[in-house]
Amino acid sequence: MIAIVGGGIAGLAAARRLQGHGRDVRVFEASGQVGGLAATTETAGDPIETFYHHLSASEETIVELLDDLGLREDLEWPIGKNAYYVDGTVHPMDKPWEILAFPHWSLYDKFRLGMLTLDVDVRGGIPSFDTYDDLEEFEDVPVKEFCIEHTTRNVYETFFEPLLEAKFGERMEDVSAAWLLGRIKFRGERDLLRGEPLGYLDGGFGRLNDALVEDVGREHIDTNARVTNVGTADGGLQTVTVEHSDPGEDGFTNVETVDADAVVVAAMPNVLEALTGYECEITFQGTVCSIVSMDRQLTDTYWLNIADDAPFGALIEHTNFVSPERYGGEHLLYVPKYVQSPEDPVWQMTDDEVEAHWLDGIADLFPEFDRSHVNWMSTARNPRTAPVYERGYLDMVIPYHLDSEVAEGVYYAGMASRAQYPERSLNGGIVAGYECADRIAGEK
């Protein structure tokens, strides 16, 4: 039997893949709900992801999985409109003429940025089309230095710097240029006349979780089941110890020790460390993310990056991407903030305080905003939602097979794996799960 620690997308994908290789599996999820960061929140219509999700055109593995599960026809590719809020104005940034109209850049600024996004290095006046092919060459290059050299200082200060600060806070200057280049490549192709198509599953990605659960078999998945020990002997895995709990009023705890041929830790690296002692050097940051339900739209864009002073770095208006009709007419807006420390003032706030803080910030940016149009708000927090992609990151990723680091039979498919570089994603979680499953089955 193969034990899988974690019922998120990576754990469920690993379970399904292992079953395809003819192996018996059990998935142990510590919480009461599978899905991990793709868990959902109820609305007046379809459920919505608690933390925002969409697919980019470069994510092929998840599309193949949806096809296998009979969901491919429900995968849609609407345009995710982008805009930039600076000096009190929303500037659309999708179409070439919109970018050309951006008043804070010179024509030269726009040319240099455009060439970078097209993977063309124009330093020295002679175009090079292979400079950016190998991301690892930029692993140790500071992102600020790279942006100034490969675009202009003005582009860095008016565009990249606010985005980096919103994404990485006080760690922004530790980030590598490889991450930025990888993110540009990750986003896929753009329709010059409309903008960037982004993938979304009709009914939400919770349907993917449900389909995986049904395909793996509910009898193979234990929720409220926390793995507390990985037992090794003679250099190999022997057992895993699981603490089953009942969260109800008559709660109880039952401890089970099961024999296991292998264990896949499909969770954050702190879980791996607690179980095996393996220490991961990657720094993670958390997120405080609220969903705001309104009776009308706030803007006409999907992803609005904020350059002005605000308590959040972006506003993501989901129902400008997916029709509000699917949510019972509700207009749904994500308001997120990355936090680098539990000492962050927003992390310390109660949910009510966070929600008031967000609404104050929205009102400052949009004076016409009327709080009476808010139906409800729901706030979620997670202390580890994204790595800090600092210089030297690839030297810190956790191997899929930890035979030499921990013991034979111990595998890792969490967010600190190679598949989640240069950007974390649902697709990366599936790839990590497959990588571990194929190694266990002797396919790699």
Side-chain angles (χ1 to χ4, degrees), residues 2 4-7 11-12 15 25-29 216 220-223:
I2 313 300
I4 298 174
V5 182
L12 294 174
V25 300
R26 282 184 70 183
V27 178
F28 300 105
E29 167 57 43
V216 170
H220 301 295
I221 301 171
D222 295 64
T223 54

Side-chain angles (χ1 to χ4, degrees), residues 222-240:
D222 295 64
T223 54
N224 296 308
R226 184 181 301 277
V227 175
T228 58
N229 185 61
V230 169
T232 60
D234 301 323
L237 178 72
Q238 302 288 324
T239 62
V240 295

Side-chain angles (χ1 to χ4, degrees), residues 102-416:
F102 187 63
H104 299 276
W105 296 336
S106 68
L107 189 59
Y108 182 66
D109 291 333
K110 294 165 187 174
F111 169 73
R112 292 295 301 271
L113 178 59
M115 289 298 98
L116 176 62
T117 60
L118 293 173
D119 275 352
V120 181
D121 179 8
V122 293
R123 292 174 301 165
I126 302 175
S128 170
F129 297 91
D130 59 4
T131 300
Y132 308 126
D133 286 351
D134 186 357
L135 296 184
E136 294 188 29
E137 292 185 5
F138 297 90
E139 261 291 291
D140 296 318
V141 178
V143 69
K144 178 179 179 179
E145 173 188 307
F146 174 87
C147 289
I148 293 173
E149 180 181 352
H150 291 256
T151 61
T152 69
R153 179 173 292 277
N154 185 49
V155 168
Y156 174 75
E157 292 177 349
T158 60
F159 184 65
F160 286 117
E161 186 173 37
L163 299 182
L164 287 164
E165 185 174 11
K167 178 81 171 177
F168 298 108
E170 62 190 23
R171 296 295 308 278
M172 57 181 281
E173 294 198 9
D174 298 329
V175 173
S176 78
W179 169 79
L180 178 63
L181 279 172
R183 186 170 175 82
I184 292 171
K185 294 174 182 290
F186 177 80
R187 292 303 296 264
E189 297 183 2
R190 180 179 297 271
D191 186 316
L192 291 178
L193 297 179
R194 298 190 302 148
E196 183 180 13
L198 298 172
Y200 193 75
L201 187 63
D202 183 5
F205 289 107
R207 291 186 61 203
L208 173 57
N209 292 332
D210 293 342
L212 281 169
V213 169
E214 291 301 317
D215 197 72
V216 170
R218 294 179 183 274
E219 68 275 16
H220 301 295
I221 301 171
D222 295 64
T223 54
N224 296 308
R226 184 181 301 277
V227 175
T228 58
N229 185 61
V230 169
T232 60
D234 301 323
L237 178 72
Q238 302 288 324
T239 62
V240 295
T241 303
V242 186
E243 186 178 273
H244 299 270
S245 61
D246 178 358
E249 291 184 8
D250 299 325
F252 65 88
T253 298
N254 176 50
V255 177
E256 176 189 15
T257 299
V258 297
D259 295 332
D261 301 315
V263 60
V264 178
V265 180
M268 291 297 172
N270 62 304
V271 175
L272 178 68
E273 181 177 356
L275 294 176
T276 68
Y278 182 95
E279 296 184 14
C280 176
E281 297 178 6
I282 294 172
T283 301
F284 280 79
Q285 52 189 4
T287 303
V288 178
C289 182
S290 299
I291 300 173
V292 185
S293 168
M294 301 174 291
D295 63 12
R296 64 199 63 197
Q297 68 179 179
L298 177 68
T299 72
D300 65 355
T301 196
Y302 169 54
W303 196 290
L304 179 64
N305 287 306
I306 311 293
D308 288 13
D309 187 28
F312 36 74
L315 293 172
I316 302 150
E317 197 157 354
H318 180 80
T319 43
N320 289 336
F321 175 54
V322 177
S323 172
E325 294 177 0
R326 295 188 181 177
Y327 305 98
E330 293 184 279
H331 294 261
L332 301 173
L333 172 74
Y334 287 104
V335 187
K337 183 183 189 299
Y338 285 104
V339 296
Q340 282 70 46
S341 164
E343 303 306 314
D344 187 293
V346 172
W347 188 265
Q348 295 288 326
M349 293 178 182
T350 66
D351 286 357
D352 287 344
E353 290 171 337
V354 167
E355 291 162 10
H357 190 49
W358 292 163
L359 295 180
D360 287 344
I362 293 171
D364 287 342
L365 297 177
F366 299 95
E368 69 280 8
F369 172 67
D370 188 336
R371 298 180 195 222
S372 68
H373 298 309
V374 174
N375 301 316
W376 53 264
M377 294 181 67
S378 176
T379 296
R381 307 160 189 260
N382 191 295
R384 298 175 186 86
T385 53
V388 176
Y389 290 99
E390 59 189 294
R391 297 189 294 281
Y393 184 88
L394 284 179
D395 294 331
M396 298 184 284
V397 297
I398 301 176
Y400 295 117
H401 192 186
L402 291 162
D403 52 341
S404 59
E405 292 84 356
V406 179
E408 180 62 40
V410 179
Y411 297 80
Y412 181 74
M415 199 181 290

Side-chain angles (χ1 to χ4, degrees), residues 54-115:
H54 59 240
L55 303 184
S56 295
S58 61
E59 299 179 80
E60 298 177 350
T61 304
I62 190 171
V63 175
E64 293 170 359
L65 176 59
L66 290 169
D67 195 21
D68 290 344
L69 294 170
L71 297 174
R72 175 69 175 270
E73 291 185 359
D74 293 333
L75 179 61
E76 303 166 338
W77 294 91
I79 297 298
K81 294 173 61 178
N82 290 271
Y84 199 46
Y85 186 108
V86 57
D87 288 348
T89 302
V90 174
H91 299 275
M93 297 289 281
D94 287 310
K95 304 174 183 68
W97 53 89
E98 292 173 341
I99 296 171
L100 286 171
F102 187 63
H104 299 276
W105 296 336
S106 68
L107 189 59
Y108 182 66
D109 291 333
K110 294 165 187 174
F111 169 73
R112 292 295 301 271
L113 178 59
M115 289 298 98

